[in-house]
Amino acid sequence: VQLVESGGGLVQAGDSLRLSCAASRSVFSLASLGWYRQAPGKQRELVATRMNGGKTQYADSVKGRFTISRENARNAIALQMNSLKPEDTAVYFCNAKDSSLIEYWGQGTQVTVSS
């Protein structure tokens, strides 16, 4: 599965951004799709995931601000990020797991939030 992210950029605190990740395989064939992020000097961490059945999971730090959604027509997964904070600055990676739970990663997209 190939994953291609888009939508990153430089914004100010309080602004919004929408990330999108296009998959080379039908999203219906994937067990889960999600977003992770990695800030400089830190480990990669889960931001949000969406299971094929619709169940979602969010990191505590983004609950109420970020929303993950599947864009079926575009074969993609999106992450709507509102009320961005400087601590949200990181490289954001798209993640997919297939029915065998093999993981796939996108190349990452930079999100920078200035104070």
Side-chain angles (χ1 to χ4, degrees), residues 9-17 37 65-66 81 83-90 92 110-115:
L10 171 64
V11 296
Q12 294 186 331
D15 285 351
S16 298
L17 269 180
R37 67 186 180 187
R65 300 188 298 123
F66 291 12
M81 305 185 293
S83 303
L84 282 161
K85 303 176 181 180
E87 50 263 43
D88 293 318
T89 295
Y92 284 69
Q110 177 71 45
V111 172
T112 303
V113 185
S114 64
S115 58

Side-chain angles (χ1 to χ4, degrees), residues 66-103:
F66 291 12
T67 303
I68 190 169
S69 60
R70 197 170 68 182
E71 301 177 325
N72 296 335
R74 295 183 62 244
N75 226 32
I77 189 81
L79 184 69
Q80 177 66 40
M81 305 185 293
N82 298 328
S83 303
L84 282 161
K85 303 176 181 180
E87 50 263 43
D88 293 318
T89 295
V91 178
Y92 284 69
F93 296 91
C94 182
N95 172 276
K97 295 183 180 67
D98 64 17
S99 57
S100 299
L101 299 184
I102 296 174
E103 281 192 302

Side-chain angles (χ1 to χ4, degrees), residues 37-52:
R37 67 186 180 187
Q38 187 167 18
K42 295 187 177 181
Q43 289 188 332
R44 191 172 298 189
E45 63 175 1
L46 170 71
V47 177
T49 61
R50 185 191 185 282
M51 306 300 290
N52 196 18

